[in-house]
Amino acid sequence: MKFHSNLREEERMKEKERNREKGFTLFEILVVVIIIGLLAALVGPRLFGKVSTAKQKAAKAQIELFGTALDTYRLDVGKYPTTEEGLKALREKPSGAEGWQGPYLPKEIPVDPWNRAYVYKSPGQHGDYDLISYGLDGAEGGDGENLDIVSWKDVGK
């Protein structure tokens, strides 16, 4: 009997050791969470800075695509759309636009990366037309994230 009870005791001790090896202690989990938190605090702000730059570059790319469509419109019609006709003239034929062979954009006119309509003026102050996205703040002027993205300048210049 004594031999049998010793076997049971040994089996229970081995089982306890195996159970201990299966999981993590609370301390180990806390250390990992703290390390992840520190990494997020160091890397996070750098990534958020990249988001605003990416939005500015996306707005500039869209403005350049509008420019290509506007140039094609001008070749067909003989002039750029007026401010009143706007970018809508790239999708729908304005009255009196002889030679219009659009639509010049394959999809609806997109909004800028900040979810606002692009501003189109023709004739423009800086060329035949001006295309503008007023950036994050939606107001004229600004720098950094609030920088205006315009058809006559490169981003950041």
Side-chain angles (χ1 to χ4, degrees):
M1 262 313 212
K2 195 171 188 183
F3 178 71
H4 191 25
S5 79
N6 283 342
L7 276 176
R8 280 191 182 165
E9 189 65 34
E10 274 184 45
E11 284 177 18
R12 277 191 239 144
M13 290 190 68
K14 284 182 184 179
E15 184 66 29
K16 280 184 181 180
E17 284 180 33
R18 275 188 249 137
N19 284 342
R20 240 184 254 152
E21 292 174 6
K22 288 183 184 177
F24 297 104
T25 66
L26 179 60
F27 180 73
E28 291 168 329
I29 293 171
L30 285 173
V31 168
V32 170
V33 168
I34 289 170
I35 290 171
I36 291 172
L38 289 172
L39 286 173
L42 293 172
V43 175
R46 291 184 184 167
L47 291 178
F48 287 119
K50 301 281 186 204
V51 171
S52 65
T53 302
K55 284 185 174 188
Q56 290 173 341
K57 288 181 179 178
K60 185 61 179 178
Q62 282 183 330
I63 285 174
E64 288 173 0
L65 289 173
F66 285 139
T68 301
L70 286 163
D71 291 341
T72 306
Y73 177 98
R74 186 188 56 113
L75 287 172
D76 290 346
V77 177
K79 65 178 184 70
Y80 288 105
T82 64
T83 302
E84 292 75 29
E85 291 168 337
L87 296 174
K88 188 176 179 183
L90 298 174
R91 294 281 305 153
E92 300 170 12
K93 181 181 179 182
S95 62
E98 299 302 319
W100 190 89
Q101 296 178 25
Y104 298 94
L105 293 174
K107 298 179 181 176
E108 291 302 313
I109 298 163
V111 293
D112 72 8
W114 298 276
N115 222 18
R116 294 185 193 89
Y118 286 93
V119 176
Y120 171 77
K121 298 174 186 175
S122 179
Q125 294 178 336
H126 303 278
D128 292 326
Y129 63 85
D130 292 348
L131 269 168
I132 307 164
S133 166
Y134 287 123
L136 178 64
D137 64 354
E140 191 172 343
D143 54 7
E145 291 182 347
N146 299 325
L147 180 71
D148 295 347
I149 312 302
V150 295
S151 56
W152 61 91
K153 277 199 265 182
D154 286 336
V155 175
K157 292 186 179 177

